[in-house]
Amino acid sequence: MALNSTTTKQALQRIAESVTDGRAENVRHRQEQLFSLHTTLARDASAICHALAQKTKGSRHDEAKKEAEVEYYLALDAVRHFYDSLDFDEELENEYRVANGKNYQSRRVGYGLVVIRPLEHHSRFYSIIVPLAAALSAGNCVVVEMPKSRPGDENYDIDIQLWTILTRSLDSNIFCFEDDIEEDFSKSDLESAFVLVVDQRSRNSSESSISASHSLVSLSDAPALAIVDRTADTKEAVRLIARASLIFGGTSPYAPDLVLVNEFVKDQVLDAFSETPDVKVEVYDFTDRHGSSLLAKIESNGQRDTGSIAVLPYSSLIDASHLVIVTCQQLTSIDSDCSTQLLAGYFFAEPRAAKYLSQHLPCAISYINQIPTHLLVGPAAPAVTVTTASPGLLYRYTTAMFSRPRPQMTEPPPRAFSIIDHHLTGEKELRNTQNLVSLATKPLRPVVRPSNEDVGFFEAGFLLAAGLNLTPVHLFSHGSTMMLGEESASASYWAKCGREALANGVEHVVMMGAHWATSLPNTVLISANPNPSKSPVAFVAPHKYKSYALNPDMAFIPTIQSHLSHAGIASKLDQHFDWIHDTYLVLIRMFPSGCPPTTIISANYAYDPHFHVSVGAALRPLRSEKTLFIGSGGSVHNLYRNVWGPMLQYRDNFAQPTPPEPWALDFRQEVIDTFCAGYEQKSPLPKSIPYGREIRSSSRAAAPGGGGVGGPLLRRKAASLMKHPKYRDAHATDDHFMATMFVAGLCGSVEDVGVEGVLGAEDWELTNMCNSQFTLGGWD
């Protein structure tokens, strides 16, 4: 089957000549080659399927025969697809577009020579035929690497069939086999601008075993991830995952390497796997919930055993011989560990949850509630680059991947570009319109946002149903007005935080609440009333707040404005603003003996999360100047969905006639996972707060992979919560969540990576309102 050196040299000489003369570019020639290829493959169907079945391992005879037929069908379907994509009349019309005075902006030309290094251990037939057909359709000559093999070798039978069929059906001037690409091609050959290398074997795009200026590298060792959410059909999810791990010998790069399972459905998933006789399940029990990157470990793993599944909790060590199932409490927090590029993600969940999960994980492709069988045949899709434009979702490769853009333009440019010639040559055309500078400075169409100006304070209430020694930052949920008058775990924690602040010499307090916002674009207001009053509150005895003296920090306002201005954020003073319970309620509890100098900053009615993050980031340097920042909002705060009866009838805001609804519990957990990532829960969570046990994130020192919750990732995670499928249930409007963004900005610098997060207290009010009290950083 191997060529001798003389034959090899002659074949390469013919290929080089054909690249120069351009015969492969002719559309008729391309059609004829694909037609001949399909005809010959169809004629030898029985022999090809038999060879494929002989190669398949780990399957019974009937299954091997069916899988061989699937691979054969998909390969020939790809040839048909690329053949049908060629339209002679359209190609001819496009070729003469410029001659007829029309632009040919979409023109693409083949590289010239495509060198294919196919997979060796999985879907070898498909892995050769599909890129070959795609390369031919784009007008290229092709060389396929096929090392010498002997009877009994894994690929001997199918390689014999491919050798015979392809050399018989394709023009020898544009196609040949080579034993060893690296031996037969020099480094300068492969780095030629006319050569494209298709490498299906490399571990990643930066470590391709062949150096080439232009390449399509399949990320064969990038992990594939499956996620089973609590909203999933667990039996169907397990069926698909198990099937993908077993079919085609279990060697597909798209077979799941890691399975993340929500703890709520862990038992259901394990029970479903126990009903799958060909899948081995091993359960490991570890308590460590943090460590070095999961996917970095997965990426370094070797070949796993087909059909062997291990069940481990989050971030445990991974045995390379198993498909791993990891259990975690809330799946939407896993993006913190996913810095590794994922080959594919399979998301088993209801559509809204799947949408949220898939958009925050770096998957090359995401599938919702499915693992398509066709995906398990063939190589990993090549990494998408600027020149390849878009991934080949159905056939792995596209014609565009094997060609380069070469637009031809003959029509004059649009007037917006042509007027500059008139301007430079002094022609008078612009006198009838405007001068060039006026045209350049013409205002853009305004960004249209829905107005929230008609929502006042009362209506808004009911519509809502860490270098330097930096001060900690508090994210408090102020809850209902009755939190001012009733004793609670939150009130005790606020008092503790106030005592610590005074003991450490805090000189300024800066707050962003939830009930004050401005409609001015990209602007915040700053409280500048030297003698502010307090807006009255319901269900609280007046003596508990009326006599408390507020202390506006007028001298600190210029400092705040200077930092905001330096960050490009406009601010205006409001000299008539009276303080609202979202701020003074907390201050009274924190500093009962007297209010420290305090400044309040408004939110912005656009409720853009990134803008409010920027406000916090702009003021972050002040944390080194004995300034305590507090965001006062709510973890779960939707007044429409609260149960008001006990409060209205009995003045009991803490009555819980029923447990909180699932949507409230779910979103509350997501907020905890954002600000206390990697925590270890030693006792049942409902008991942990009332009994005074704090929930803490893993600190940098405690976690081998680096812990904490601060840094730029905190900004991303906090902002992404507003796209969570349960967010709108938890927050009817956005005002009570802007304090969260403010705090994320205050603790979102790279210098904040590793900052510890603490859930210090929590109370539930009105059945569905969750008042979680967080602190990021500490006085140490």
Side-chain angles (χ1 to χ4, degrees):
M1 187 176 68
L3 294 173
N4 58 45
S5 58
T6 302
T7 307
T8 299
K9 185 175 181 180
Q10 292 172 347
L12 291 178
Q13 182 66 33
R14 291 197 303 270
I15 296 291
E17 292 170 354
S18 297
V19 170
T20 302
D21 69 31
R23 74 177 61 195
E25 300 173 14
N26 183 280
V27 65
R28 283 295 192 210
H29 187 269
R30 286 183 271 162
Q31 288 178 320
E32 290 167 356
Q33 293 301 298
L34 290 171
F35 185 88
S36 176
L37 174 62
H38 186 274
T39 301
T40 310
L41 291 173
R43 185 185 305 128
D44 293 343
S46 178
I48 294 171
C49 289
H50 177 75
L52 290 173
Q54 291 296 110
K55 180 182 181 300
T56 303
K57 295 181 178 180
S59 299
R60 293 183 294 274
H61 175 73
D62 289 344
E63 293 174 340
K65 184 174 181 295
K66 291 179 180 178
E67 291 173 3
E69 291 170 349
V70 167
E71 183 177 351
Y72 174 80
Y73 165 78
L74 290 174
L76 265 70
D77 182 64
V79 177
R80 183 188 304 276
H81 164 76
F82 291 114
Y83 175 80
D84 289 343
S85 69
L86 298 175
D87 185 320
F88 179 81
D89 293 335
E90 182 181 349
E91 292 268 356
L92 188 64
E93 179 184 352
N94 286 335
E95 182 179 348
Y96 285 91
R97 286 183 67 88
V98 173
N100 295 321
K102 297 179 181 179
N103 289 340
Y104 188 6
Q105 194 165 349
S106 60
R107 178 173 177 259
R108 300 183 71 91
V109 298
Y111 278 85
L113 176 62
V114 172
V115 178
I116 300 175
R117 303 191 78 208
L119 281 178
E120 295 179 335
H121 305 294
H122 176 72
S123 303
R124 186 165 176 81
F125 177 74
Y126 182 98
S127 300
I128 290 175
I129 295 298
V130 175
L132 169 62
L136 291 174
S137 71
N140 296 284
C141 299
V142 181
V143 174
V144 175
E145 183 180 61
M146 185 172 286
K148 301 174 183 178
S149 60
R150 300 174 181 177
D153 289 350
E154 177 184 3
N155 295 316
Y156 179 77
D157 291 335
I158 190 60
D159 282 0
I160 285 290
Q161 292 294 326
L162 284 167
W163 184 281
T164 303
I165 291 170
L166 298 184
T167 54
R168 187 172 73 230
S169 62
L170 298 178
D171 182 354
S172 62
N173 293 299
I174 68 162
F175 173 81
C176 73
F177 287 101
E178 292 299 323
D179 292 338
D180 190 333
I181 295 299
E182 295 182 68
E183 180 180 323
D184 297 332
F185 285 80
S186 68
K187 187 174 185 291
S188 60
D189 289 335
L190 294 173
E191 291 181 347
S192 167
F194 301 100
V195 176
L196 175 70
V197 176
V198 178
D199 191 351
Q200 300 174 358
R201 306 175 190 173
S202 297
R203 297 181 64 86
N204 58 61
S205 58
S206 63
E207 297 180 1
S208 176
S209 56
I210 288 184
S211 174
S213 300
H214 308 283
S215 60
L216 293 174
V217 180
S218 296
L219 305 183
S220 300
D221 285 355
L225 172 73
I227 292 182
V228 184
D229 187 42
R230 64 185 299 182
T231 60
D233 180 339
T234 54
K235 287 190 175 181
E236 178 64 8
V238 168
R239 184 187 73 82
L240 292 173
I241 293 169
R243 180 172 176 271
S245 300
L246 295 169
I247 198 170
F248 301 108
T251 57
S252 172
Y254 285 99
D257 295 291
L258 175 67
V259 183
L260 295 181
V261 180
N262 189 293
E263 287 183 349
F264 285 94
V265 294
K266 178 181 67 175
D267 292 340
Q268 298 176 36
V269 169
L270 294 179
D271 289 344
F273 272 117
S274 69
E275 298 173 4
T276 308
D278 294 329
V279 177
K280 177 184 176 183
V281 177
E282 299 182 23
V283 180
Y284 295 80
D285 184 17
F286 292 86
T287 58
D288 178 30
R289 287 183 173 269
H290 207 90
S292 58
S293 171
L294 266 178
L295 296 179
K297 296 173 185 175
I298 290 288
E299 190 179 36
S300 64
N301 280 349
Q303 189 70 24
R304 58 177 170 76
D305 292 338
T306 302
S308 182
I309 297 178
V311 180
L312 297 93
Y314 190 53
S315 295
S316 297
L317 294 178
I318 293 168
D319 187 334
S321 65
H322 298 295
L323 169 64
V324 181
I325 294 183
V326 178
T327 61
C328 54
Q329 194 162 63
Q330 287 293 314
L331 297 177
T332 49
S333 66
I334 63 174
D335 61 317
S336 62
D337 265 334
C338 291
S339 58
T340 301
Q341 174 70 40
L342 297 170
L343 181 61
Y346 310 112
F347 300 89
F348 296 95
E350 62 91 17
R352 292 194 305 162
K355 173 260 180 189
Y356 179 86
L357 289 164
S358 62
Q359 78 179 92
H360 291 107
L361 286 173
C363 302
I365 187 170
S366 300
Y367 285 96
I368 311 303
N369 295 319
Q370 60 175 314
I371 303 180
T373 302
H374 74 82
L375 194 67
L376 302 173
V377 179
V384 176
T385 64
V386 174
T387 55
T388 60
S390 60
L393 300 182
L394 297 178
Y395 300 100
R396 302 293 193 283
Y397 300 96
T398 65
T399 302
M401 291 180 181
F402 295 87
S403 60
R404 292 177 285 194
R406 291 290 186 269
Q408 294 174 320
M409 313 297 288
T410 186
E411 300 175 45
R415 183 177 180 278
F417 296 92
S418 63
I419 58 175
I420 62 176
D421 291 324
H422 301 303
H423 181 76
L424 293 173
T425 58
E427 296 183 25
K428 310 264 173 136
E429 179 181 322
L430 290 178
R431 292 184 181 178
N432 298 325
T433 54
Q434 298 169 281
N435 64 50
L436 206 58
V437 174
S438 297
L439 289 172
T441 57
K442 181 180 178 181
L444 302 177
R445 293 194 310 273
V447 177
V448 179
R449 292 182 180 268
S451 173
N452 294 301
E453 292 186 76
D454 56 338
V455 182
F457 158 66
F458 182 79
E459 292 85 354
F462 280 92
L463 280 175
L464 266 124
L468 297 170
N469 291 326
L470 302 180
T471 57
V473 177
H474 299 305
L475 175 59
F476 292 156
S477 300
H478 57 261
S480 76
T481 57
M482 288 193 69
M483 291 292 288
L484 175 57
E486 306 299 316
E487 297 305 315
S488 64
S490 294
S492 298
Y493 185 70
W494 292 338
K496 172 178 175 290
C497 293
R499 290 193 299 270
E500 291 175 347
L502 294 175
N504 284 276
V506 160
E507 298 176 358
H508 311 279
V509 175
V510 178
M511 302 183 72
M512 177 180 286
H515 294 279
W516 184 32
T518 176
S519 60
L520 296 172
N522 300 315
T523 302
V524 294
L525 301 181
I526 299 175
S527 59
N529 186 344
N531 298 295
S533 299
K534 293 187 286 291
S535 296
V537 294
F539 305 112
V540 180
H543 73 272
K544 293 188 175 183
Y545 68 92
K546 275 199 169 183
S547 61
Y548 188 80
L550 304 179
N551 186 6
D553 195 354
M554 304 298 291
F556 200 51
I557 291 176
T559 301
I560 294 174
Q561 283 194 296
S562 174
H563 281 77
L564 292 173
S565 177
H566 183 73
I569 299 171
S571 62
K572 292 184 178 296
L573 305 185
D574 188 336
Q575 298 175 340
H576 305 285
F577 175 69
D578 291 327
W579 294 15
I580 306 171
H581 75 273
D582 56 345
T583 51
Y584 72 73
L585 180 159
V586 173
L587 290 169
I588 291 173
R589 288 293 191 176
M590 290 184 71
F591 308 105
S593 299
C595 180
T598 301
T599 307
I600 302 174
I601 299 175
S602 79
N604 185 280
Y605 265 132
Y607 297 130
D608 180 339
H610 301 289
F611 172 77
H612 291 82
V613 165
S614 298
V615 174
L619 299 179
R620 180 186 177 277
L622 295 177
R623 291 177 57 198
S624 65
E625 300 181 19
K626 294 188 176 182
T627 303
L628 181 66
F629 286 92
I630 303 171
S632 178
S635 292
V636 179
H637 196 103
N638 184 347
L639 302 192
Y640 270 134
R641 305 193 69 170
N642 287 344
V643 178
W644 295 94
M647 179 175 175
L648 296 174
Q649 289 182 279
Y650 307 109
R651 299 297 187 265
D652 188 351
N653 56 317
F654 295 126
Q656 294 290 109
T658 61
E661 294 181 53
W663 56 266
L665 290 167
D666 283 352
F667 193 78
R668 167 260 197 181
Q669 185 64 54
E670 298 296 344
V671 177
I672 291 176
D673 283 352
T674 297
F675 289 97
C676 294
Y679 66 87
E680 293 188 30
Q681 186 179 300
K682 299 293 187 181
S683 62
L685 197 57
K687 295 182 180 180
S688 61
I689 299 305
Y691 286 86
R693 299 176 187 170
E694 298 173 331
I695 291 178
R696 291 180 175 269
S697 66
S698 297
S699 68
R700 175 181 291 275
V709 296
L713 186 59
L714 176 63
R715 302 185 188 188
R716 176 180 174 84
K717 293 177 71 173
S720 72
L721 287 174
M722 294 184 69
K723 293 187 175 183
H724 190 279
K726 300 298 174 62
Y727 172 73
R728 194 50 73 199
D729 293 319
H731 290 269
T733 53
D734 301 320
D735 40 16
H736 277 69
F737 213 61
M738 291 304 102
T740 301
M741 304 302 129
F742 178 61
V743 168
L746 285 161
C747 300
S749 167
V750 291
E751 297 175 354
D752 294 311
V753 173
V755 166
E756 185 180 57
V758 176
L759 173 60
E762 185 177 82
D763 292 291
W764 286 86
E765 289 188 281
L766 308 170
T767 298
N768 289 323
M769 182 186 290
C770 181
N771 302 332
S772 304
Q773 317 304 334
F774 295 98
T775 298
L776 280 71
W779 295 104
D780 298 333

